[in-house]
Amino acid sequence: MARMIRVRRGTDAGVHWEVAETRPPAPLADLVAGYRSFREFSPAPVVRREPPRSGLVLVLNRDTPISLTREHPARTGSAPAGALVGIGQLSVEAAHDGSQDVLEVRLSLLAALRIFGITGNEVADRVIDLIDLWGKYGTDLLEQFAAADSSQERFDVLDSALISGAERGRELDPVLVGA
């Protein structure tokens, strides 16, 4: 499916980067706020502190391992290929060796229930490996994502996996959706 993809590129202090952004298709509009692909090349390792967010973030990685950890030792998690970062009060430290090629999917709390079958509370202040969370579906998504050659193909892979997850997932109570 053809889609509008906004691409920005730049160089800051010797770090070359590219960001590609797009919106999800209509069937995912209530569950997914958007997709954002990041490519970055730095001469040195990079560590960032990401502030807490009000929604969930699914992170898929196509490059060398990245580390995603919460500040609280009991909530530490790291997932080099894919992870779901829950809402919470704690920052996330994101680190890589100087090269990253990741895609972030910004999800609503309803997506946790509808797509993954868990409540937002179950992932609060946690980083959960995608395969631990989604089993075979997570493995399949990561394999298809790694094989995709372009941002368009990666976004299409995500569309398919998330729509499929929503179709087989839990039905949402209309009162919950309205709230």
Side-chain angles (χ1 to χ4, degrees):
M1 108 185 53
R3 71 173 75 226
M4 171 83 95
I5 300 175
R6 179 180 174 216
V7 179
R8 295 175 288 139
R9 294 177 181 88
T11 301
D12 297 315
V15 177
H16 304 286
W17 55 269
E18 175 182 286
V19 176
E21 298 176 285
T22 192
R23 301 205 44 85
L28 294 172
D30 292 336
L31 303 174
V32 179
Y35 302 144
R36 184 178 294 153
S37 174
F38 294 99
R39 296 185 73 207
E40 180 176 46
F41 305 97
S42 170
V46 174
V47 178
R48 289 189 181 88
R49 183 157 315 272
E50 303 286 343
R53 298 188 183 192
S54 60
L56 307 170
V57 180
L58 177 63
V59 179
L60 304 177
N61 180 33
R62 289 181 37 96
D63 204 354
T64 58
I66 60 172
S67 172
L68 301 169
T69 55
R70 289 284 188 179
E71 292 175 328
H72 190 284
R75 301 291 186 161
T76 296
S78 181
L84 183 66
V85 179
I87 63 166
Q89 299 176 359
L90 304 175
S91 298
V92 174
E93 184 177 277
H96 61 81
D97 68 358
S99 174
Q100 75 168 336
D101 187 354
V102 300
L103 196 143
E104 288 185 355
V105 182
R106 295 178 315 279
L107 301 165
S108 72
L109 290 177
L110 294 176
L113 189 58
R114 179 72 186 184
I115 295 172
F116 300 111
I118 58 175
T119 65
N121 189 45
E122 292 175 84
V123 295
D125 279 324
R126 294 182 60 205
V127 176
I128 301 175
D129 187 291
L130 182 61
I131 295 172
D132 292 342
L133 176 68
W134 222 14
K136 178 184 176 341
Y137 301 115
T139 300
D140 292 347
L141 170 56
L142 292 171
E143 288 173 359
Q144 293 168 12
F145 182 75
D149 291 325
S150 68
S151 292
Q152 175 69 50
E153 288 179 26
R154 285 177 234 154
F155 295 141
D156 290 346
V157 164
L158 277 168
D159 289 344
S160 178
L162 296 175
I163 289 170
S164 178
E167 288 172 349
R168 71 176 172 274
R170 292 172 58 177
E171 287 297 320
L172 301 177
D173 183 327
V175 173
L176 178 63
V177 173

